[in-house]
Amino acid sequence: MNTVDNTADLLVLRPGDPGYDAELAGFQTGFARRPDVVFAAASAEDVVTAVRYAAERGLPVGVQATGHGLPGAFTGGVLVTTRRMDRVSVDPGARTVRVQAGVRWGQVVAAAEPYGLAPLNGSAPGVGAVSYTLSGGLGILAREFGYAADHVRSLDVVTADGVLRHVTRDSAPDLYWALLGGGHNFGVVTELEIDLVPVRTLYGGSVAFDGRETDPAALLRAYEEWTRTVPDGLTSSFAAVPYPDLPALPPQLRGRYVVSVRVAYTGTDGPEITAPLRELGPVLADSLREMPYAESHTIHSDPDFPHAYYGDSAVLSELDVVRAGELLARVGPDSGGPMCVVQVNHLGGALARPAPNSVPYREGRFLVRLLAAGDREEARALLDPAFALLADVTLGRALNFAFGAGDRAEGLYDGETLKRLAGLKSSYDPANLFRHNYGVSAAC
């Protein structure tokens, strides 16, 4: 362990130090991050120290909280870990919550629940709240309330000059706009204040089918037709998951190819709206029910154990069900490639509303996400041709779901948004200090 600038209370680690590897560990195990210096921040002041240290030496800076959405591997430079910054503070009167940089969504759900409030979190409680929000934040109630980024009141951020700034839409509109959608390209956000919504319960869960007994492409076509009938407040997704034959899995999932429709809805007519889903084929499992919001993570039941994966996404102007059916076959369990999970999110509703941030492609109607297990190059060999099938209806990619694909900046923003981001990058980070994250370059 080494101290920097006489900050004896700040944990600073270098390769070979005890605790270095443990500090780098996170949810993603497939990408090696081997920085020259790790600053284990416990406060905003620690982040200031780390950024100033890096700026003085011209070293790139990366950020890691939970390690879910890592942009990829890197070597050298400075990494700021924020897992120790885990304070959550709810203001029930204002319906807001303040979260530090290391907070996970499960903590926020638990803190808000006693007040009958809920955050605009995603499907997995272990995901870091801040990075998720800076990249947009497509949550389980997204069509009713919009992106999480649309509800941010303020951000505390350490910019490339080593200054801790309190940023609001009124105090610094350009930086506010850039941070919410531009991710960690403009600084290290140490805390944010974000709206909570008055949701205590919801109608949600999934209806699942055996993808070997019922044609997944036919199920996808039926799902797309069903989405045309639902109200804007209903959020749903289609998923196709080839489960391995492992003893650790429940017997009903072991070795199966499970295709499901997931639903989250705060309206009172959920059973009526979702009834047609049960007619799509023989139902393997049905978990649709009224539930406390605190149980909303069971809708997707995302894995909570660290593992290696690579993923990317395509925001679509429409869902070409013929090409999407070809995609399902190309990446399915008989493809010969790595295990691949397909998810199709229904967009629109409140997601289409304009907001003072840089989250792009609000006109998108669907989002296709592919997540492959294991080796990055093997995964890309499977995923890239699959996404190419949808090129004619693809608007771009979603920053929240570029797992390991952050080294490819193309498509993450539309042309006008990227041009404005690049200009602001020149102003706030002319030396491109924050380049170990999902990249926006001043040279764009």
Side-chain angles (χ1 to χ4, degrees):
M1 182 180 77
N2 298 280
T3 59
V4 176
D5 295 338
N6 298 317
T7 54
D9 294 331
L10 171 57
L11 178 60
V12 180
L13 301 167
R14 292 182 171 84
D17 285 345
Y20 175 87
D21 291 332
E23 188 65 22
L24 296 175
F27 191 79
Q28 167 65 266
T29 64
F31 309 131
R33 310 192 99 188
R34 306 300 295 177
D36 292 330
V37 187
V38 180
F39 286 79
S43 66
E45 291 73 22
D46 289 346
V47 176
V48 168
T49 298
V51 171
R52 289 179 178 175
Y53 173 91
E56 289 168 1
R57 293 160 177 80
L59 299 174
V61 178
V63 187
Q64 179 175 316
T66 65
H68 270 75
L70 300 184
F74 72 74
T75 302
V78 169
L79 181 70
V80 181
T81 60
T82 62
R83 68 189 63 175
R84 293 165 182 79
M85 301 173 64
D86 61 354
R87 187 175 66 245
V88 178
S89 178
V90 174
D91 184 336
R95 291 181 179 173
T96 61
V97 61
R98 293 192 66 86
V99 297
Q100 286 189 311
V103 169
R104 301 170 186 241
W105 275 125
Q107 298 170 253
V108 188
V109 171
E113 191 271 338
Y115 306 105
L117 300 171
L120 296 177
N121 57 289
S123 59
V127 167
V130 169
S131 291
Y132 160 98
T133 303
L134 297 183
S135 298
L138 181 67
I140 58 174
L141 297 177
R143 278 174 46 84
E144 181 173 1
F145 296 106
Y147 290 99
D150 301 346
H151 295 265
V152 171
R153 300 283 187 93
S154 68
L155 310 95
D156 293 344
V157 57
V158 180
T159 47
D161 53 5
V163 174
L164 177 63
R165 304 170 188 268
H166 183 69
V167 175
T168 69
R169 180 181 178 183
D170 294 328
S171 68
D174 281 345
L175 185 55
Y176 176 91
W177 179 88
L179 286 166
L180 296 171
H184 291 291
N185 284 288
F186 296 87
V188 181
V189 173
T190 62
E191 189 167 325
L192 61 78
E193 181 183 17
I194 190 167
D195 293 331
L196 298 171
V197 294
V199 174
R200 188 181 293 274
T201 62
L202 56 77
Y203 182 79
S206 69
V207 180
F209 309 88
D210 189 324
R212 295 191 182 278
E213 294 181 2
T214 305
D215 179 17
L219 290 170
L220 181 60
R221 287 195 299 272
Y223 169 70
E224 191 274 339
E225 292 173 1
W226 174 76
T227 62
R228 301 180 193 181
T229 71
V230 304
D232 282 351
L234 187 144
T235 304
S236 69
S237 63
F238 171 98
V241 183
Y243 286 95
D245 187 3
L246 296 175
L249 291 173
Q252 68 271 22
L253 298 179
R254 195 177 303 164
R256 288 187 181 270
Y257 184 30
V258 179
V259 179
S260 62
V261 176
R262 291 93 164 255
V263 173
Y265 182 51
T266 63
T268 58
D269 53 348
E272 293 78 16
I273 294 172
T274 58
L277 296 176
R278 299 182 176 90
E279 307 303 319
L280 301 184
V283 174
L284 180 65
D286 183 348
S287 64
L288 288 173
R289 69 194 189 282
E290 189 80 15
M291 66 175 71
Y293 192 84
E295 296 179 8
S296 61
H297 64 278
T298 64
I299 295 172
H300 290 243
S301 294
D302 292 326
D304 59 0
F305 54 87
H307 58 285
Y309 51 95
Y310 173 88
D312 213 338
S313 60
V315 183
L316 309 181
S317 58
E318 61 183 70
L319 183 60
D320 183 332
V321 292
V322 174
R323 290 296 186 91
E326 294 176 21
L327 180 150
L328 283 169
R330 180 164 295 196
V331 302
D334 299 322
S335 67
M339 173 185 169
C340 183
V341 175
V342 179
Q343 182 163 313
V344 180
N345 290 78
H346 184 207
L347 305 179
L351 294 166
R353 298 172 188 165
N357 58 51
S358 52
V359 180
Y361 308 123
R362 290 178 179 269
E363 70 273 31
R365 294 193 60 239
F366 288 91
L367 171 70
V368 173
R369 300 160 52 185
L370 301 181
L371 194 70
D375 178 75
R376 180 180 186 275
E377 295 308 315
E378 185 183 21
R380 284 197 63 173
L382 178 71
L383 268 54
D384 288 355
F387 280 118
L389 292 169
L390 305 175
D392 290 347
V393 291
T394 296
L395 299 171
R397 301 159 61 213
L399 185 60
N400 265 136
F401 306 110
F403 302 127
D407 57 338
R408 297 187 298 117
E410 67 272 11
L412 291 176
Y413 303 96
D414 60 90
E416 285 302 310
T417 299
L418 183 59
K419 182 178 178 180
R420 184 178 175 188
L421 284 170
L424 292 170
K425 180 75 167 176
S426 296
S427 298
Y428 285 100
D429 185 14
N432 198 20
L433 195 70
F434 302 109
R435 60 184 183 272
H436 267 345
N437 307 296
Y438 291 95
V440 171
S441 170
C444 290

